[in-house]
Amino acid sequence: MGVKLIAFDLDGTAIVKHKYLPEANRAALLEAHELGAILVPATGRMRDFLPECVRELPIGYAITSNGGTVYDMGTGRAVIENLIPNATARRVQEILDGYDVYLEYYSGGGAITRRDMPGRARGHFGLPESKWHFVDGKEYRFTDDFSRMLAETGLCPEKINLPYLPEGLRGEIWERLSAVEGLRLTSSIPDNIEINSAEAHKGGALRELCGRLGIGMGEVMALGDNGNDVTMLRAAGVSAAMGDGSEDAKAAATFVTAAHDDCGLAKAIKDAVKGR
């Protein structure tokens, strides 16, 4: 097989319902690994929120927080970091302080939120049932005040995450955050905003990791489904977008495969193994 590394998105690509890895996808990834491909999950999630079904795969590295940090999964240590500078994070928080929205900071492979937020996620913040897993499944560290936390700790986050924004509010917040220099805004689902350093994206992290491993980008396959996957899909020598993915992801990919819940990942990898 000409593919030496496979970088694959999780939600909406490899896994379904945010936590299940279909057997066909698992088998295709394992077969590719047995043929010599390095498996690298590339996700907007932080390291500690990788689902168990993915951790059970033979993965050596993980691109997390949209390229904010790449971890060596054997040691748990960060090997590549593209963090949001503290001063920039404080400017972002000044804007977000004006909105009553659910908010998370990713740092050190984990997530930080305000102490009162998880208990109010469903009722007060109105997170739909499809997003409950993203709160219930996390082991948070807590703060009582985001702005004070940033000022006192000097934290440079991997990512700032707004997992759900009510209709009409997302556009307003996006516009205000777009005016802050040094940021990259993406969405992995239509009603969220993921805030990274302008230097952080899956494609850049993938290139840097492959450079360290001595792998050319022509020997890389990437699979994704949404806006935060676009740079990765463009960077890889061969790339597949899920059939139910976003239009920008499909435009960035080498080819479009089946829908993610129809095991599009497995079908795309099999095409690559056959030398598509």
Side-chain angles (χ1 to χ4, degrees):
M1 185 177 69
V3 174
K4 293 185 178 179
L5 185 148
I6 297 178
F8 57 99
D9 174 54
L10 298 184
D11 298 284
T13 300
I15 62 177
V16 299
K17 297 182 179 178
H18 305 302
K19 55 183 176 180
Y20 301 111
L21 180 66
E23 177 56 29
N25 286 353
R26 187 186 74 85
L29 288 165
L30 290 176
E31 180 183 1
H33 178 71
E34 290 170 1
L35 291 171
I38 297 171
L39 304 182
V40 179
T43 178
R45 297 183 181 218
M46 75 280 192
R47 181 198 63 203
D48 295 348
F49 196 50
L50 294 179
E52 189 62 29
C53 59
V54 173
R55 287 179 174 272
E56 290 173 348
L57 295 170
I59 56 174
Y61 299 90
I63 297 171
T64 69
S65 299
N66 291 333
T69 310
V70 179
Y71 284 97
D72 180 326
M73 295 302 291
T75 65
R77 294 179 180 175
V79 294
I80 298 169
E81 291 185 310
N82 293 292
L83 307 179
I84 302 172
N86 179 262
T88 305
R90 291 168 72 173
R91 175 67 186 119
V92 169
Q93 190 58 50
E94 287 177 4
I95 293 172
L96 297 180
D97 278 341
Y99 298 92
D100 188 21
V101 294
Y102 199 95
L103 174 62
E104 304 169 328
Y105 279 75
Y106 291 0
S107 177
I112 305 167
T113 194
R114 205 173 64 206
R115 196 175 307 277
D116 64 309
M117 284 191 166
R120 305 170 71 203
R122 291 167 169 77
H124 180 79
F125 292 107
L127 267 68
E129 186 174 357
S130 62
K131 295 181 184 287
W132 291 355
H133 171 70
F134 289 100
V135 173
D136 298 340
K138 288 175 180 168
E139 295 185 7
Y140 285 109
R141 306 197 305 274
F142 292 107
T143 183
D144 293 315
D145 186 293
F146 290 118
S147 293
R148 188 167 67 242
M149 173 193 72
L150 292 169
E152 292 179 352
T153 67
L155 178 74
C156 297
E158 298 175 0
K159 186 176 93 170
I160 303 171
N161 191 44
L162 296 162
Y164 171 70
L165 294 168
E167 185 177 355
L169 194 57
R170 180 180 176 277
E172 178 183 331
I173 294 176
W174 187 290
E175 182 176 0
R176 294 190 64 190
L177 291 174
S178 295
V180 179
E181 292 187 8
L183 293 180
R184 179 182 297 271
L185 307 180
T186 57
S187 292
S188 57
I189 41 182
D191 54 9
N192 83 336
I193 299 178
E194 302 177 27
I195 307 164
N196 285 95
S197 161
E199 305 303 316
H201 52 88
K202 292 183 182 183
L206 179 60
R207 285 184 181 278
E208 187 169 352
L209 176 61
C210 288
R212 292 177 178 229
L213 297 175
I215 296 173
M217 296 308 295
E219 302 170 305
V220 175
M221 181 179 193
L223 303 109
D225 75 303
N226 223 312
N228 63 340
D229 299 316
V230 165
T231 58
M232 176 174 73
L233 295 171
R234 288 175 176 162
V238 60
S239 58
M242 301 302 106
D244 55 343
S246 67
E247 292 305 313
D248 55 347
K250 292 177 183 178
T254 306
F255 67 98
V256 177
T257 184
H260 87 285
D261 55 4
D262 190 27
C263 297
L265 176 139
K267 294 175 181 178
I269 291 176
K270 288 179 180 178
D271 283 344
V273 169
K274 293 175 182 177
R276 177 177 180 135

